Amino acid sequence: MPVTIRTKIILGFVASLIFVSVLSMAFGLNIMTLKNKMVVLDQFHGLLDNILEIRRYEKNTILYGYQDKIVVELQDYLHRTQSDITSLSDSISMVAGIDRYNDFKKKFETYKALIGTGKNRLDTAKVAQIRSLGSDMVAFCEGLLVKKRERINRSLEYMVSFSIIAVGGFIFCVAGLFLFEAKSLLKRLKQVTLATKSIPKGQFKTIMEEAPKHDEISQLIAGFNQMVRELDEKQEQLVQSRKLASIGTFTSGIAHEINNPLNNISLTADGLLEGFEDLSGTETREMIHDIITQTSRASGVVKNLLDFSRSDQTVMSRISVSDVISGTLGLVRNQLMVNRIRLTTDIPETLPAIRGNLHNLEQVFINLFSNAMAAMPAGGDISITADVQEDGRIRIRFKDSGQGIAPENLAQIFDPFFTTKSVGRGTGLGLSIVYGIIKKHDGHVAVESDKGQGACFIILLPAVTDDQENVSI
Ligand code: ADP
């Protein structure tokens, strides 16, 4: 059964209640025992007091002989002491031992017999024996009191140490358990925090729990993973809809790209029809060859368009940067011409391949071209260069000579919905899509710009390794 954090808190609370109850009971028992010991101590005190009283009358009897009043009092104290000794037999035996108790009892009885109810003055020998027995009895009772006090002190010390150890041990265990739980909780929450932080960076990575505990945090992680998967899907849909929107934007250029070869085909076919009789076999073959070339040019543009609009975002394959750029140019070349933009490219043939999705990367450059064209309404220059960095990554620089980006906007241009364009002209999604696609390729995109000095987008992509060919993600 999964143990949720709520269950753990309830269990902890119940365990604490049980512990506090047991501790209180133990404490109560100790106090009762202590109370009994105090009662016995009191009784020992009473016994000593009685013996001291007897000794006072013993002294008077020795000095003044037996007087009636003294005899009555003496008899009374002797009687009280006798019954104390009997009723306290167990307590005295426990403190002093049974032998010493019997010895004490015997001494008392001898003492009682000697001092008894004699009518005559006591002789010297008896007096000496009575005094010796009397002081033995006093010493014995004082010894009892000392021992009893020691026992009570020991009980008190035991109670204090027991409480300290029990409460200390409990606090230690609770603190240890709390720290352990808090540590694992914080570790898992940190995973969520880190994953959450990577979302605005366009990295939709799910959280892998090492050992799922099926508690509230696991539910949170499951919910987070579900959200990430849906965001990823939405991002793919967004890229796809942007691709279709781009086709709309470049329709006239694309139509031109198809129209050109169609016009050429039409002209060549007309020429062929009109001069069919007069043309030599070689000329006819050349014209038919032209028609075939123009047909494949037109079908190439259509194929490019179909490929680009296809939703194949998940296919990553080995591709070259120049393929990406030429695929993009197939869609935007005409628009560049119309906007009087000169394009220079410098992509070395020796540039290592990259692993990626051709059409998504084409979308990246279409967005960069669109923004560059918007930044150069009166025409200008775009240069695309590529090289290999020291760390092995491929660096593509896309530079325009447009109005540039204001320093205060630089930090925000990759944010979704950030736009400086008027309503209806900009959605603020172009660069955030660029960012998302490049991140998906484990790459990095940055911008350098000074207002009025044009903008330069720098894209870093990892070069492909031999074992990464045609892998689907
Ligand atoms: P949109 O083009 O719809 O505004 P983007 O995300 O593509 O959205 O661009 C965001 C903003 O970045 C643009 O509004 C513009 O201010 C700025 N920007 C992007 N590319 C350039 C560029 N090449 N030159 C100048 N500003 C640019």
Side-chain angles (χ1 to χ4, degrees):
M1 194 191 91
V3 184
T4 60
I5 297 172
R6 189 167 173 266
T7 318
K8 281 181 190 167
I9 292 173
I10 294 172
L11 282 177
F13 185 69
V14 171
S16 304
L17 269 185
I18 293 174
F19 174 80
V20 171
S21 314
V22 170
L23 191 71
S24 310
M25 271 160 62
F27 212 71
L29 267 171
N30 274 333
I31 288 186
M32 291 293 288
T33 318
L34 205 67
K35 194 184 154 207
N36 287 342
K37 285 181 179 167
M38 298 292 277
V39 170
V40 174
L41 185 75
D42 245 16
Q43 290 167 335
F44 285 176
H45 263 297
L47 179 64
L48 177 66
D49 288 347
N50 287 343
I51 290 174
L52 288 175
E53 282 299 323
I54 292 171
R55 293 226 62 201
R56 197 160 63 83
Y57 289 112
E58 167 203 310
K59 190 176 148 202
N60 289 343
T61 309
I62 291 167
L63 285 175
Y64 311 114
Y66 286 106
Q67 293 172 4
D68 287 345
K69 204 175 152 221
I70 294 174
V71 170
V72 172
E73 294 285 337
L74 182 63
Q75 282 304 317
D76 182 35
Y77 279 108
L78 282 172
H79 181 72
R80 283 196 213 175
T81 308
Q82 176 78 65
S83 61
D84 277 357
I85 290 173
T86 313
S87 65
L88 289 174
S89 64
D90 286 347
S91 308
I92 298 173
S93 306
M94 252 169 64
V95 177
I98 185 83
D99 294 342
R100 295 203 62 205
Y101 167 72
N102 286 336
D103 183 46
F104 167 67
K105 194 174 163 192
K106 213 163 132 196
K107 278 184 178 164
F108 174 76
E109 275 157 8
T110 316
Y111 179 91
K112 190 179 164 193
L114 283 172
I115 200 154
T117 53
K119 298 279 178 224
N120 306 318
R121 281 184 89 86
L122 295 163
D123 61 32
T124 329
K126 261 192 182 172
V127 167
Q129 205 183 346
I130 284 171
R131 277 190 172 146
S132 153
L133 284 170
S135 67
D136 278 359
M137 287 191 311
V138 171
F140 178 78
C141 284
E142 283 174 347
L144 274 184
L145 283 171
V146 170
K147 278 190 182 154
K148 197 70 201 169
R149 266 193 217 106
E150 275 172 5
R151 283 183 170 216
I152 289 173
N153 280 343
R154 270 208 302 278
S155 291
L156 272 172
E157 278 167 14
Y158 167 77
M159 258 176 76
V160 173
S161 343
F162 171 77
S163 309
I164 291 175
I165 290 171
V167 174
F170 180 72
I171 291 174
F172 182 78
C173 290
V174 169
L177 272 173
F178 178 79
L179 277 180
F180 177 76
E181 277 298 321
K183 215 173 146 192
S184 102
L185 209 72
L186 288 177
K187 192 177 157 201
R188 293 163 72 212
L189 279 177
K190 199 174 167 193
Q191 267 187 302
V192 181
T193 314
L194 284 178
T196 316
K197 276 188 185 156
S198 64
I199 286 186
K201 294 181 191 158
Q203 287 168 324
F204 302 126
K205 290 201 175 132
T206 52
I207 301 169
M208 295 294 287
E209 268 204 282
E210 283 165 20
K213 294 190 174 166
H214 307 290
D215 58 6
E216 285 85 344
I217 303 284
S218 290
Q219 286 165 17
L220 174 73
I221 289 176
F224 178 87
N225 286 346
Q226 174 70 18
M227 180 191 79
V228 162
R229 276 190 284 272
E230 279 174 21
L231 274 177
D232 203 20
E233 227 169 79
K234 293 280 177 291
Q235 172 81 1
E236 302 290 5
Q237 286 170 6
L238 194 63
V239 172
Q240 184 59 16
S241 64
R242 275 298 287 208
K243 276 177 20 183
L244 299 179
S246 306
I247 293 172
T249 312
F250 296 108
T251 312
S252 61
I254 294 163
H256 211 82
E257 284 284 305
I258 299 169
N259 246 351
N260 274 347
L262 286 181
N263 279 339
N264 291 343
I265 291 167
S266 168
L267 284 173
T268 316
D270 274 350
L272 195 61
L273 193 64
E274 276 170 22
F276 190 71
E277 309 290 327
D278 311 323
L279 288 169
S280 69
T282 321
E283 282 170 326
T284 310
R285 251 195 308 279
E286 258 176 32
M287 288 174 89
I288 293 173
H289 194 256
D290 260 5
I291 290 174
I292 293 170
T293 312
Q294 294 302 319
T295 310
S296 25
R297 199 180 136 196
S299 73
V301 174
V302 174
K303 185 177 177 295
N304 190 13
L305 200 60
L306 285 176
D307 282 349
F308 176 71
S309 57
R310 236 186 22 229
S311 167
D312 60 350
Q313 300 93 332
T314 50
V315 178
M316 302 283 256
S317 54
R318 187 190 177 100
I319 49 174
S320 71
V321 173
S322 51
D323 280 351
V324 176
I325 302 298
S326 60
T328 314
L329 286 176
L331 297 166
V332 302
R333 192 180 289 115
N334 243 283
Q335 207 75 27
L336 292 175
M337 255 165 53
V338 172
N339 284 283
R340 295 189 303 282
I341 289 167
R342 285 173 299 279
L343 173 73
T344 51
T345 57
D346 179 11
I347 300 163
E349 273 178 21
T350 52
L351 200 71
I354 53 170
R355 180 174 163 269
N357 181 282
L358 178 69
H359 305 303
N360 280 0
L361 288 173
E362 282 174 0
Q363 180 61 42
V364 165
F365 287 97
I366 282 184
N367 288 356
L368 295 183
F369 273 118
S370 294
N371 281 339
M373 282 188 250
M376 299 184 289
D381 295 296
I382 292 178
S383 80
I384 305 174
T385 57
D387 59 6
V388 183
Q389 278 208 134
E390 271 177 17
D391 62 7
R393 284 193 293 178
I394 290 171
R395 177 175 55 186
I396 306 162
R397 292 170 70 87
F398 186 104
K399 189 167 168 28
D400 65 53
S401 60
Q403 68 201 25
I405 302 164
E408 65 271 20
N409 292 339
L410 271 178
Q412 302 172 66
I413 59 163
F414 292 106
D415 291 351
F417 307 111
F418 175 80
T419 181
T420 56
K421 294 172 189 166
S422 56
V423 182
R425 284 187 163 269
T427 57
L429 287 175
L431 288 181
S432 88
I433 285 174
V434 167
Y435 192 91
I437 294 174
I438 297 299
K439 280 287 159 195
K440 209 138 200 194
H441 284 74
D442 287 328
H444 179 75
V445 56
V447 64
E448 288 171 357
S449 177
D450 283 321
K451 203 164 169 58
Q453 303 288 306
C456 179
F457 287 88
I458 300 152
I459 294 171
L460 299 175
L461 288 168
V464 79
T465 52
D466 288 340
D467 54 338
Q468 286 180 320
E469 226 167 317
N470 292 323
V471 190
S472 291
I473 54 165

